[in-house]
Amino acid sequence: MQFRTLQSIGRTWHRWKPSQYPTYYSFQRPASTTSSARFDFQSIDAKWHRRWKDAPNKPKRVCHGKSYILPMFPYPSGTLHLGHLRVYTISDVLTRFKHMQGFDVLHPMGWDAFGLPAENAAIERGVDPAEWTRHNIAKMKEQLMAMGASFDWSREFMTCDPSFYQHTQRIFLMLYERGLAYQAEAMLNYDPVDRTVLANEQVDSNGFSWRSGAKVEKIRLKQWFLRITSFRESLLTDLDNLAMDNRWPNRVLSMQRNWLGRSSGAKFRFQLTMSTGPSHLQRSVEVFTTRPDTLYGVQYLALSTTHPIVEAMARSLPELQAFIDTASTLPPDSKVGYLLPDVEGINPLALLKDQPEIVQKSLPVYAAPYVLGDYGEGAVMGVPGHDTRDHAFWRQNRGSESIPLVVEPPDTTDRFFQRFLQCDENDVPFIPRGILTPICGTFSGLSSSEASRLIIANLKEAGQHAEIAESWRLRDWLISRQRYWGTPIPMVNCKLCGTVPVPMNQLPVELPKVDESWLRGKGGNPLEDAEHWVNTTCPSCGGHAKRDTDTMDTFVDSSWYYARFADPHNTDLPFSPSSAETHLPVDIYIGGVEHAILHLLYARFMTKFLATTELWPSGDATSNKVEPFRKLITQGMVHGKTYSDPTTGRFLKPEEVDLSDPTKPKIRAAGEVPNVSWEKMSKSKYNGVDPTQCIWKYGADATRAHILFQAPIGEVLEWDEEKIVGIQRWFGRVWRVVEEITRLVSSPDHKSADLALSLPAIWDFSDAEAHIWAEVQRTIESVTQSLDRTYSLNTVVSDLIKLTNTLYSSSTTTNISSPIRYYAASNLLRMMAPLTPAFAEECWECLHSSPLPSSSYSRSLSITPSNEQGERESIFTQPFPTLSPSKPISARRIQSCAVQENGKLRFAVEIPNPPAHLLEDKSGDKRALESWVLNELGRTAEGKRWFEGKGWSIHSEDGRVDRQDGAWGEGRKTEGRWKRIIVVKGGRTVNFVD
């Protein structure tokens, strides 16, 4: 071989001439160091990215069917962050692994392109949101391709493209036809300056708009809803199926159950007395409670600020209206209340005969912001003795008034249990169920469950409204947005016909070009002012009509996008039934836990709806209970090292911190030691990291391996760039292992016959070979389990580093055959390939830079380094390593062998267990076993010295004992030395008798 020598940081480098092998850096290994070489990883990345792009499409090696792996698609903000890099590295590793296992893998990528951030960014810059979004997509696509991910770009789409959102509109109309999309009024935050609805988080603590600064108004608007509550039972019960075999994380399942929020209890009706107020006001309120056993302990009623009684009274009570106006600025757990004048409630138990005095008292009625308007009828009964929230409300609004306790522990006596709470150290509500106290009259002494049943029954018997009921936290999905950058709702409003759907054959209803005045900050929804777009013809009567100017919540797009990837070029349907049967559901879905509730819940709802249509009639209901994602992997967040001023707490910019000694950071201006913490990456904390810079600096594969190695995928990753050097050292050791094998294969002194042999029988391994074999098998088993079942990708890197160290430390061992070395290196590289694709390709090409004999042992491993034309194949055309069924790890166990001469111990060594067929031989002829044990003893250093001292010949290559005449037993001596050689205990003892 011909080399050019480079000098870099005291190390000798060699660059292979292009005529030989087109890698980039090699080096001579110094005797006393394992530090890494500085490879030109950017050139390696570029080379293999180009190769993959230019490679002709070849038939896939499919033997295990199809697999669909999908990461959550990104919002095109314009810049990838490390959270993106983490999730897409995970999906790419699993995709490449499944591909090498023989699966036909679908791994697509698209863009969640609609939404308020793009609209606001476009307004700030005075550009069309469509132009801004497409520019960002082009930029982020380059970044994704730089990380070496194997996405199927032929299926790419963006949700802001009419070719996609026409199908979102089609699905909306399908929901409308089934009565699952409807209009209703809802109370919303409205910005009168920007003329748009604001989310709660866009209103500051003083009730002003976050952008315009205007005082936010509460208004009722007619909005579009999707009836997700129609599927609430299956959304809840099917979570049990997702819990099987840890398919979904328990944390996500709990969050979904809590959001659905099914509660079992009872409904009661409280009569109201009003000495003033409009005569048309209702004179009763219905409440739902999960604790009917505490009905005796009701001390007040609380109504939401949007309850009809409260709103009606506010028209004549300015103070109440002012209270309502400020309610939206209060925290959700606020316990302030407004006592409604001249309104009192009556406990339904008071209408029964012979009831105690405690239920005869009238109940005060409050307007309270903590009561949700859409929870039941927007009314709750307050039981401060047995509910923490009610207790806090009572103390804030009623001061020190005593509170009765109507439930007590089952084993309580009067002596130890205080049945009224006072404002003292014991002022704590009793929350558990128990037995009813003597305050409860005829129900005293009954258990909570029995008392609940009888209270409901007695009230019903007396003609009162009382019934067993359940309540759900889940509400129908409000999808209307008074914004421009979203999917237009395909409905028109006609004065004669009312609300009319746009016919399917007129889809898509496309967004019009925005007016330049809106881009200059005019505010409001520009669709309302786009007269040429708003004014249209009624599809029903042909008369004048106006389009609906609301757009859909972007969650609607992401609720079904996964199914579009199955058939992305279908112009007639969202996807065909045949494509759904082929690809759906998603086998592995990967994304952040922050989407554990809304996105996943909406996707589950949409899937269950689509399974009731002709699009996906089976819904994979038999094995998957009509769920969109079989397996869910949620990756943890990425935190960055953050510096702050210890005096002021102000976050410090990178240039304000002296990191000349990274272990001792200092504030440049003051010389003080800053506070150092790990925080969620954000611009305001100056701790963000550009993954593109990391890839440019260290290469895509080192960055990928580092991000996988630093933390389990479900936990927070504390990004420490300084530790990437450990990954680089690993790559250096891998390279040296591969280079050494390449040198052996191409050496003129190398025996070609050695390469032509298949792997030797496991019983013929030397101890060093057996150790390497066992380590390879252990690593295959552990890595496969981590990639296929536990998804412990940090463990994968750890296992591969351990195997590399084993091979590296054995590189100077002489009694390891080339087939074993090749076997180990081949398996190592193929296991690395999903994690470090370009580097593994480079090493694989180096390993096969010298042609192997046609009968090479590579064929015994079911790999084909070259095709029929003699061209080297990509490592990704090779199978992922599997455990050898014919040579399991346990096949070669070690046992101690005591060597005796005339019954006296001479030495003891470890040898392999004899093969089973020798131990099971029942013919009585022990000569085969004796010969095998002697040969194994001859392979050991102690045995070799002892035999040679006795004049026996030992073959240098394999340690075989040469007995010359081969005579055994029957009183004959071998070489005139021993009459008998006795092997007992399966080779654990050998006695030479003369």
Side-chain angles (χ1 to χ4, degrees), residues 857-895:
Y857 40 80
S858 64
R859 298 193 176 181
S860 70
L861 304 180
S862 301
I863 63 175
T864 53
S866 300
N867 59 25
E868 295 178 356
Q869 288 74 38
E871 300 168 336
R872 293 190 191 98
E873 292 280 10
S874 165
I875 195 170
F876 294 104
T877 64
Q878 313 303 319
F880 196 83
T882 57
L883 287 172
S884 174
S886 60
K887 300 173 182 177
I889 299 174
S890 60
R892 189 184 193 276
R893 296 189 299 269
I894 303 298
Q895 66 180 22

Side-chain angles (χ1 to χ4, degrees), residues 137-181:
I137 287 174
K139 183 179 176 182
M140 291 180 71
K141 186 173 180 178
E142 280 187 26
Q143 295 172 316
L144 284 174
M145 297 180 78
M147 65 171 281
S150 57
F151 292 116
D152 182 354
W153 292 107
S154 70
R155 296 175 182 265
E156 178 188 15
F157 60 74
M158 50 187 174
T159 58
C160 65
D161 193 306
S163 65
F164 176 86
Y165 69 70
Q166 69 167 322
H167 299 297
T168 303
Q169 293 172 338
R170 182 182 297 271
I171 292 172
F172 174 88
L173 294 177
M174 293 166 65
L175 287 160
Y176 179 78
E177 290 172 359
R178 295 271 294 275
L180 297 174

Side-chain angles (χ1 to χ4, degrees), residues 270 294-302 339 343-348 357-366 370 380-387 390-391 393-395 397-406 419-421 439:
F270 286 74
T294 64
L295 190 59
Y296 277 94
V298 176
Q299 297 295 291
Y300 69 92
L301 296 176
L339 180 64
V343 181
E344 294 179 333
I346 300 173
N347 192 318
E357 182 181 353
I358 191 173
V359 298
Q360 304 293 340
K361 296 187 302 180
S362 297
L363 303 172
V365 182
Y366 288 87
Y370 82 85
V380 299
M381 65 183 209
V383 187
H386 301 282
D387 185 274
D390 295 351
H391 181 271
F393 183 88
W394 182 261
R395 285 296 178 222
N397 292 276
R398 305 294 288 196
S400 60
E401 290 187 30
S402 63
I403 301 171
L405 294 176
V406 297
R419 293 199 170 109
F420 284 89
L421 296 180
I439 295 176

Side-chain angles (χ1 to χ4, degrees), residues 214-229:
K215 180 66 177 179
V216 173
E217 302 172 357
K218 284 284 188 179
I219 63 171
R220 283 187 176 276
L221 284 180
K222 209 169 189 181
Q223 303 283 279
W224 283 99
F225 292 82
L226 299 185
R227 209 179 298 275
I228 189 174
T229 53

Side-chain angles (χ1 to χ4, degrees), residues 88 123 237 250 288 296 308 339 441 513 526 554 589 737 842 945 986:
Y88 300 135
I123 293 173
T237 58
N250 286 330
F288 170 83
Y296 277 94
L339 180 64
K513 193 77 172 175
T554 56
Y589 194 46
V737 167
E842 190 75 9
R945 286 194 298 270

Side-chain angles (χ1 to χ4, degrees), residues 506-796:
Q506 293 182 19
L507 299 180
V509 176
E510 294 192 36
L511 286 170
K513 193 77 172 175
V514 291
D515 185 81
E516 290 186 3
S517 61
W518 179 76
L519 292 174
R520 291 194 296 268
K522 178 181 177 181
N525 182 354
L527 296 181
E528 296 176 352
D529 299 326
E531 295 186 5
H532 65 286
W533 182 83
V534 171
N535 294 303
T536 186
T537 301
C538 174
S540 179
C541 70
H544 179 264
K546 288 183 176 290
R547 295 192 188 279
D548 196 308
T549 57
D550 284 355
T551 55
M552 296 187 208
D553 178 7
T554 56
F555 277 123
V556 180
D557 302 311
S558 61
S559 70
W560 77 278
Y561 83 104
Y562 73 92
R564 181 62 176 172
F565 281 127
D567 195 7
H569 307 298
N570 193 324
T571 58
D572 299 322
L573 296 170
F575 52 90
S576 68
S578 61
S579 67
E581 296 301 327
T582 299
H583 293 291
L584 302 182
V586 175
D587 292 296
I588 302 176
Y589 194 46
I590 309 157
V593 73
E594 64 270 20
H595 300 295
I597 299 178
L598 296 182
H599 164 58
L600 292 176
L601 186 66
Y602 295 150
R604 296 182 63 223
F605 155 66
M606 193 63 74
T607 299
K608 293 179 185 301
F609 165 70
L610 292 173
T612 67
T613 71
E614 60 182 12
L615 293 175
W616 191 18
S618 78
D620 196 37
T622 303
S623 62
N624 199 53
K625 296 288 186 180
V626 196
E627 292 288 343
F629 316 118
R630 292 185 191 276
K631 174 70 181 179
L632 175 67
I633 297 175
T634 54
Q635 91 280 3
M637 302 185 72
V638 181
H639 287 186
K641 188 176 285 188
T642 310
Y643 300 97
S644 59
D645 189 309
T647 304
T648 64
R650 181 178 65 86
F651 293 111
L652 300 173
K653 299 177 181 180
E655 58 268 21
E656 295 180 276
V657 184
D658 180 0
L659 294 175
S660 54
D661 182 354
T663 63
K664 298 178 181 179
K666 293 182 180 179
I667 302 176
R668 292 185 185 276
E672 293 181 296
V673 177
N675 291 331
V676 182
S677 60
W678 295 95
E679 307 278 351
K680 178 182 176 182
M681 289 186 176
S682 70
K683 292 180 180 179
S684 63
K685 297 177 181 177
Y686 310 108
N687 62 353
V689 175
D690 183 354
T692 308
Q693 291 296 316
C694 289
I695 291 172
W696 179 86
K697 188 175 180 180
Y698 303 104
D701 287 356
T703 306
R704 286 164 58 116
H706 177 66
I707 207 168
L708 294 173
F709 186 47
Q710 285 302 292
I713 61 177
E715 297 181 9
V716 169
L717 187 156
E718 295 180 347
W719 180 258
D720 190 348
E721 193 171 306
E722 296 170 9
K723 294 182 179 178
I724 296 185
V725 67
I727 297 296
Q728 292 180 316
R729 291 196 197 102
W730 171 38
F731 285 6
R733 288 192 292 271
V734 172
W735 182 255
R736 288 191 286 271
V737 167
V738 172
E739 189 182 40
E740 179 68 15
I741 295 174
T742 306
R743 184 188 63 78
L744 286 174
V745 172
S746 59
S747 171
D749 298 330
H750 185 76
K751 296 181 179 180
S752 60
D754 188 30
L755 274 178
L757 295 173
S758 295
L759 289 172
I762 199 166
W763 359 94
D764 294 332
F765 284 174
S766 67
D767 288 346
E769 290 174 333
H771 176 63
I772 289 177
W773 173 270
E775 281 300 299
V776 171
Q777 297 295 302
R778 181 199 65 77
T779 307
I780 291 173
E781 184 175 36
S782 178
V783 167
T784 302
Q785 177 171 311
S786 295
L787 291 173
D788 210 23
R789 292 188 291 277
T790 64
Y791 306 103
S792 304
L793 302 190
N794 61 316
T795 303
V796 173

Side-chain angles (χ1 to χ4, degrees), residues 256-275:
Q256 292 254 317
R257 288 192 178 96
N258 291 338
W259 191 262
L260 291 166
R262 181 170 68 182
S263 303
S264 297
K267 287 181 179 179
F268 299 114
R269 186 168 295 280
F270 286 74
Q271 299 299 320
L272 299 180
T273 61
M274 301 181 187
S275 57

Side-chain angles (χ1 to χ4, degrees), residues 949-983:
K950 300 299 182 180
W952 283 32
S953 298
I954 308 296
H955 286 254
S956 60
E957 292 184 357
D958 57 10
R960 191 175 71 253
V961 179
D962 189 352
R963 299 179 301 277
Q964 295 186 2
D965 65 355
W968 291 94
E970 299 182 6
R972 292 187 61 187
K973 291 185 178 181
T974 303
E975 288 292 294
R977 190 74 185 91
W978 295 290
K979 292 180 180 178
R980 299 180 65 195
I981 300 177
I982 305 171
V983 177

